[in-house]
Amino acid sequence: MTGLNVSTAKQVEGTGATAQSAVFELSQVSKEFRVGARLWPWGGATLRAVDDVTLRIDPGECFGIVGESGCGKSTLAKLLLLLEPISSGRLAFHGQDVRSFSRRDVRRFRRKVQAVLQDPYSSLNPRMSISSIISEPMEALGVGNRKEREERVCTLMEQVGLNPDFRRRFPHQFSGGQQQRVAIARALSVEPEVLVLDEPTSALDVSVRTQIIRLLLDIKSKYSLTMVFISHDLAVVEQISDRVGVMYAGEVVETGQAKDVIRTASHPYTQVLTAAVPSPDPDERPPTRLLLDGEIPSPLNLPPGCRFHPRCSRALPQCAADRPQLTLIEASREAACHLFVPSAPPSPGANGKVAKVS
Amino acid sequence: MLPYVLSRLVRGALTIFGVMIVIFLLTRASGDPAATLQGDSNDPARYEQIRRDLGLDEPLIKQFSTYMGDILQGDFGESWNYRRPTVDVVKERLPESAQLAGAGLLVSIGLGVPLGVIAAARRGGFMDKLSRAFGLLGQSIPTFWVGIMLVLIFSVQLGMLPSSGTGGIKHLILPAIAVGWFSTASVLRLTRSAMLDVLDSEYIKMARIKGLSEGRVIWRHALKNASIPIVTIAGIQLAALLTGAVVTESIFAWPGVGSLVVTAANGRDFPLVQTVALLAAVTFVLVNLSVDILYGYLDPRIWAK
């Protein structure tokens, strides 16, 4: 864990000296979509789904990304999986800019980075048997021969708690939890280095959810995987993640050790978010009940300054004008909030980042 | 699977029975065959004689039950025009129609599916725009105009291909394009929209994450899942082509079932019209049944329901 602290600090300094050790390194990554009437080039509007996100994901850690629906966390997952090109900024995988990836680089990347998506049923091709679903990544990436793959399918199915005798069956013959196990087995089939999990438990029943989390924890320790775990469920994220990033309206507003961020939130938004989680312990009640007015801002029309200021109870005058940057507020803890840099006027060079150009 | 097929067979039989009633009544509402057959002579006695011979003096319900009874015994009646069993007359025309239908279907699937897939894969791109324009043209330009234009250009102006009749591949090209024109457009549009639907799904996203090549994602994963609506429309097109590419056959003087039924209807040849209509109904039911059975192979979920 100490390694993490060091690397986080260095990232904030913006030296980039540790670039080769990070699995993913994002600097000011944004993703915009053009929406609406596209008949003319000036028609429609720009939707900012991911906005100036800077973070790094280190080998072997599980990085949790939390936030409300529509905060851009799934878009971020798509960017990490190279399903969508980034609009601006830099996304590096093991120090190499993904924009410079050749076809072969992408293939290598696919072998190293696998994913489990939210809805297990719709992410399995209904027309393929479980066996061919699990073995297809190996087949596509040229791993083993037919017999070896078949054996590996059985091993994997056992590993994720499925009876290998069912490998000739089709996805619709399985329950949601079993389907998610199939998805996990498929992701593990090529022995990836990174697993991106986009809300892997939110489509499941609570009892099944616990089983899947247990399976993921098990896999994580067995394979020493790097994981990116995206969820809106803070309890689940706290259980599985080493570090977390909290997202609001496309931005990362706070990062740090999972327990610290969720137990003692710094950013006003994180405080509201964590206070909204009901505690399983009846004796442990949050001292004050924090409620938010208003809605999460539309990504089509983001407020100036801090994205959260219209709803923030502690907003300062400069919050409406200046956009706070992620700043180191204590060891391995960053927040993007003016409350933590009371004296310093926001100067672009202060934390090694350039001012946003729009 | 057997109950699935049986239930569809029963439904098919009911459909055919319904079609028979409708056709029987419609033909009889269309005019008086006795007057047509009588020709120029104005002899009331002869008129009555013809009516009695054809059984038209009987009440409708009696006529229909006789008709049904004969059919159940395998007797489809005799054509009033040709003075031969209708089955024989239709049988002669059927191979020609099948040939044209096959060629037309080949054109529409061979062009429509690949163009639709490419259009969906390159959504918003040049090929997409071209395909969409072609789809729109295909569905909005009437077949008769396409046929006449083809004859005008390729037969009259260029003299490359024969304008009518049968005999060899050369005779087939223009009618096949004319008859396939409309169905190419519908197959294209349907393929495109089915593919767009599938390409949006999570398992396509997943297939890309797996590291599959884009070609494999589109042609194996996506097209297979988009195939149900495509097979459906191909089946409907085939049935429609088989039982009467009426307009095309008339333009190209193609001696198929389509031109036969036009002549039969004009001549008030009720038994012949009824037999062709019955054939059409049976063809539709059988094609749909095969399509339904095919679904089960295309999508393992269907038989499970």
Side-chain angles (χ1 to χ4, degrees), chain A residues 37-334:
Chain A
R38 291 174 65 179
L39 207 50
W40 295 281
W42 59 87
T46 303
L47 185 152
R48 270 201 149 212
V50 171
D51 195 0
D52 263 355
V53 166
T54 297
L55 48 88
R56 57 179 289 148
I57 292 155
D58 286 307
E61 76 168 328
C62 177
F63 190 85
I65 297 173
V66 291
E68 290 170 85
S69 307
C71 71
K73 51 193 196 300
S74 285
T75 307
L76 189 60
K78 278 190 193 166
L79 299 181
L80 291 180
L81 290 166
L82 308 189
L83 290 176
E84 295 272 358
I86 60 173
S87 305
S88 62
R90 182 175 185 271
L91 168 62
F93 179 69
H94 284 301
Q96 192 188 353
D97 191 333
V98 299
R99 290 198 195 202
S100 71
F101 268 14
S102 66
R103 215 177 255 260
R104 265 188 66 203
D105 290 332
V106 172
R107 253 175 92 82
R108 272 216 316 271
F109 176 89
R110 295 285 178 226
R111 180 154 184 190
K112 285 181 181 163
V113 183
Q114 286 290 318
V116 175
L117 303 179
Q118 174 171 2
D119 182 351
Y121 183 54
S122 63
S123 63
L124 302 176
N125 188 333
R127 214 150 294 186
M128 286 168 71
S129 70
I130 298 306
S131 166
S132 38
I133 287 172
I134 298 175
S135 64
E136 199 180 30
M138 297 188 273
E139 201 182 313
L141 300 167
V143 181
N145 61 33
R146 186 177 287 270
K147 202 169 152 258
E148 286 164 2
R149 289 197 293 261
E150 178 90 20
E151 278 165 18
R152 179 136 175 79
V153 167
C154 295
T155 324
L156 282 165
M157 284 182 75
E158 270 169 16
Q159 228 168 66
V160 298
L162 290 170
N163 184 347
D165 295 345
F166 293 161
R167 65 184 184 279
R168 299 264 163 266
R169 296 199 178 176
F170 290 93
H172 67 269
Q173 292 167 302
F174 288 84
S175 71
Q178 287 172 322
Q179 285 166 359
Q180 202 59 299
R181 286 169 195 271
V182 171
I184 293 169
R186 167 183 60 191
L188 294 176
S189 65
V190 289
E191 296 181 331
E193 182 192 324
V194 186
L195 201 54
V196 176
L197 301 129
D198 186 6
E199 306 246 19
T201 58
S202 38
L204 305 174
D205 289 342
V206 181
S207 57
V208 180
R209 192 174 298 176
T210 320
Q211 294 170 15
I212 296 291
I213 294 292
R214 222 173 278 151
L215 174 65
L216 289 173
L217 285 168
D218 183 41
I219 285 163
K220 186 186 152 201
S221 61
K222 203 178 279 173
Y223 288 80
S224 61
L225 280 169
T226 306
M227 284 193 189
V228 180
F229 190 95
I230 294 165
S231 181
H232 59 255
D233 188 335
L234 288 172
V236 166
V237 169
E238 188 187 341
Q239 202 180 347
I240 203 165
S241 314
D242 303 311
R243 283 197 308 141
V244 293
V246 180
M247 284 187 78
Y248 181 77
E251 284 185 321
V252 171
V253 295
E254 183 166 358
T255 69
Q257 300 296 319
K259 276 205 173 48
D260 301 346
V261 171
I262 291 169
R263 298 268 165 91
T264 56
S266 306
H267 193 282
Y269 174 66
T270 317
Q271 287 172 356
V272 177
L273 197 66
T274 51
V277 178
S279 164
D281 180 358
D283 298 327
E284 184 193 314
R285 291 204 175 275
T288 46
R289 208 149 154 66
L290 296 169
L291 287 173
L292 268 189
D293 294 330
E295 293 282 319
I296 189 162
S298 158
L300 289 168
N301 184 22
L302 291 166
C306 174
R307 305 291 190 233
F308 187 58
H309 85 267
R311 303 171 75 189
C312 183
S313 56
R314 297 160 72 190
L316 305 169
Q318 73 254 42
C319 292
D322 300 317
R323 192 164 159 204
Q325 302 287 348
L326 264 188
T327 314
L328 197 67
I329 55 166
E330 54 187 80
S332 76
R333 190 81 176 269
E334 295 169 297

Side-chain angles (χ1 to χ4, degrees), chain A residues 29-43:
Chain A
V29 168
S30 294
K31 178 66 190 175
E32 291 176 348
F33 295 99
R34 301 281 301 159
V35 292
R38 291 174 65 179
L39 207 50
W40 295 281
W42 59 87

